[in-house]
């Protein structure tokens, strides 16, 4: 892992057309876990879901930021 991050390969993976979309699974899986946990532990399920939701919105904004410069703004 140190080798990947020190050489800048990790940043390239986020923008790669094949592997880039799989990065969005990182916050989506905890969202599903939070929904599944809710019948057993309501507060914990809600907290996990909300934290993962915020992470999804932040990641989505970060991944689509280069597209906003093309909008003519």
């Amino acid at each position: 892992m140190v080798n990947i991050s020190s050489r800048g390969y990790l940043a390239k993976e986020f923008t790669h057309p094949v592997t880039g979309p799989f990065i969005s699974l990182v916050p989506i899986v905890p969202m599903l876990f939070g929904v599944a946990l809710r019948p057993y532990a309501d507060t914990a399920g809600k907290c996990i879901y909300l934290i993962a939701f915020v992470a999804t919105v932040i990641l989505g904004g970060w991944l689509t930021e280069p597209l906003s410069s093309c909008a003519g703004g």
Side-chain angles (χ1 to χ4, degrees):
M1 187 70 171
V2 174
N3 225 358
I4 292 172
S5 61
S6 65
R7 292 187 182 175
Y9 293 140
L10 188 60
K12 291 178 185 176
E13 291 296 320
F14 290 136
T15 57
H16 193 273
V18 175
T19 59
F22 291 104
I23 300 299
S24 64
L25 291 176
V26 172
I28 290 174
V29 171
M31 284 176 68
L32 295 173
F33 177 69
V35 170
L37 184 64
R38 231 178 126 201
Y40 307 104
D42 188 53
T43 305
K46 285 179 183 178
C47 288
I48 291 171
Y49 178 83
L50 289 175
I51 291 169
F53 177 76
V54 169
T56 302
V57 171
I58 291 171
L59 180 66
W62 183 70
L63 289 175
T64 59
E65 179 205 4
L67 299 177
S68 64
S69 64
C70 298

